[in-house]
Amino acid sequence: MFAAVLAVCALTFSGPANAMYAKDQRSCRTDGCVTQYGCVPRYSQYSTALYCAQRCVIERCRSIENEQPRRVCQQITSVATGQVLAAVDSYDRRGNQRYASLVNPGSGGRDRWNMIVGPGNYYYIQNSDTREYLRASDDNYLYLVSERPTDESFLFKPDLVQGRWSCVLLQSVCYRSYIFAEQQNGGYGNFAQMTRDLQQCYRDSLWSISTVNC
């Protein structure tokens, strides 16, 4: 008797639920016709009511499960120049290493980065396109290298001014120097370098780190 009651309850609740689910599924779809404008609804402004050579189905409900999550990267912008840190084809002739360069925004200079938390809550900075890592050097230049990080020359400490990522000092953990926008002959050059002289290079050492789509 008890089993029979359970069976009746199951039928009572599953029937309407399945019907509602089917109705919801149907309401997400509508018949359409294939035209030069793509799959358009029947009885629309495209006059498909009388003649529909090829039918199609229009999905009106978006499935969250099928949506791909957006990849998020960082863009590192010089507060002093408005230029962005990028990986362009500028190399050191002696060691054939790629310099970390500064380019104008939107110039296609591979200016998207991944900031990856490393030891001590410091950061590895990896270019999203080339997969190279930013590395400080004892010659005060910044290079991009393809090898995996092996020491503290790959690590950088962000020092947030007034707690904001829109105004950050980026310090090399290894050399205790700061990334800054290089000046040449009264103007700005094309490379990011390292300095310990914040008194003279403070504004040139400020960066804005923003989140962008990769």
Side-chain angles (χ1 to χ4, degrees):
M1 179 67 180
F2 183 72
V5 172
L6 284 179
V8 172
C9 290
L11 288 173
T12 302
F13 286 100
S14 63
N18 289 336
M20 289 176 64
Y21 177 78
K23 183 178 179 181
D24 288 342
Q25 288 294 99
R26 287 195 300 269
S27 66
C28 286
R29 295 185 173 188
T30 185
D31 289 335
C33 288
V34 177
T35 70
Q36 61 178 327
Y37 305 101
C39 186
V40 301
R42 299 192 68 184
Y43 309 101
S44 67
Q45 68 268 31
Y46 299 106
S47 301
T48 57
L50 299 178
Y51 178 72
C52 184
Q54 183 179 352
R55 293 190 178 187
C56 54
V57 176
I58 300 172
E59 293 282 355
R60 296 187 298 184
C61 300
R62 298 176 63 186
S63 173
I64 297 177
E65 294 179 355
N66 293 333
E67 290 185 8
Q68 296 296 325
R70 292 182 178 180
R71 288 183 58 227
V72 174
C73 292
Q74 283 73 42
Q75 194 168 51
I76 304 173
T77 306
S78 168
V79 172
T81 70
Q83 294 175 301
V84 292
L85 193 67
V88 299
D89 295 329
S90 296
Y91 293 89
D92 172 24
R93 294 180 180 178
R94 296 169 299 173
N96 199 31
Q97 297 183 94
R98 191 198 302 267
Y99 287 115
S101 303
L102 293 172
V103 300
N104 292 324
S107 61
R110 293 174 293 205
D111 57 4
R112 301 295 196 267
W113 302 86
N114 300 117
M115 296 188 66
I116 305 166
V117 178
N121 288 327
Y122 302 132
Y123 287 85
Y124 298 116
I125 302 177
Q126 183 187 40
N127 188 271
S128 176
D129 293 303
T130 67
R131 315 308 294 175
E132 295 169 311
Y133 289 90
L134 202 63
R135 185 180 191 181
S137 175
D138 57 5
D139 64 0
N140 290 330
Y141 275 98
L142 282 166
Y143 295 100
L144 287 161
V145 295
S146 57
E147 65 188 75
R148 294 186 63 84
T150 54
D151 54 47
E152 288 188 340
S153 65
F154 290 92
L155 285 172
F156 295 88
K157 174 188 175 184
D159 185 3
L160 278 61
V161 179
Q162 297 180 349
R164 298 178 301 169
W165 283 97
S166 59
C167 198
V168 183
L169 294 166
L170 290 171
Q171 184 182 33
S172 166
V173 173
C174 182
Y175 297 105
R176 302 293 189 266
S177 50
Y178 296 86
I179 303 177
F180 82 113
E182 171 198 26
Q183 287 199 42
Q184 291 181 344
N185 300 323
Y188 286 96
N190 298 320
F191 303 113
Q193 292 190 356
M194 309 296 298
T195 183
R196 290 187 178 182
D197 188 0
L198 279 186
Q199 185 172 355
Q200 183 174 350
C201 303
Y202 181 75
R203 177 171 169 77
D204 299 333
S205 302
L206 293 175
W207 302 87
S208 174
I209 300 178
S210 56
T211 300
V212 294
N213 292 327
C214 294

